[in-house]
Amino acid sequence: MAKFELVISERAADAFHAAFNKAKEASLIGAESLRAAWLTKLHKLGIDPVVDSRLEDGAQLPGELRSVAIKSYRIFFLLQRSGYCD
């Protein structure tokens, strides 16, 4: 069960869509494999965003900038605390 809320910006969703379409031009099977890898990793990030990710320099951002590699892509995300605790 996910402990963290994942919020994907419209710009990030557009980038996922464009990368998927580009991969699909080369290979439909490869594009589906990439999509599955993304979804698996996003699910894992929802459970624990620190595992298998690395801390990046994002000193001016309101949170902890991290990144994770998925196949030939690197996804950057911001880890922020919400205003409440469970």
Side-chain angles (χ1 to χ4, degrees):
M1 176 134 202
K3 292 195 244 177
F4 294 86
E5 179 182 8
L6 294 175
V7 178
I8 300 174
S9 71
E10 186 175 334
R11 183 175 175 191
D14 290 344
F16 277 119
H17 186 70
F20 177 79
N21 284 337
K22 185 170 180 154
K24 192 167 63 171
E25 289 174 6
S27 165
L28 182 57
I29 294 171
E32 287 299 324
S33 173
L34 177 62
R35 183 189 63 79
W38 283 341
L39 290 175
T40 299
K41 185 58 80 172
L42 290 173
H43 175 69
K44 288 179 180 179
L45 288 174
I47 295 169
D48 189 351
V50 177
V51 173
D52 296 332
S53 69
R54 71 179 187 195
L55 187 60
E56 301 286 343
D57 181 26
Q60 297 152 351
L61 296 173
E64 190 176 300
L65 181 64
R66 301 190 73 82
S67 72
V68 64
I70 305 171
K71 297 199 178 241
S72 60
Y73 294 90
R74 180 156 293 279
I75 296 176
F76 291 85
F77 61 96
L78 192 59
L79 185 59
Q80 295 178 308
R81 286 193 175 274
S82 65
Y84 64 92
C85 295
D86 288 339

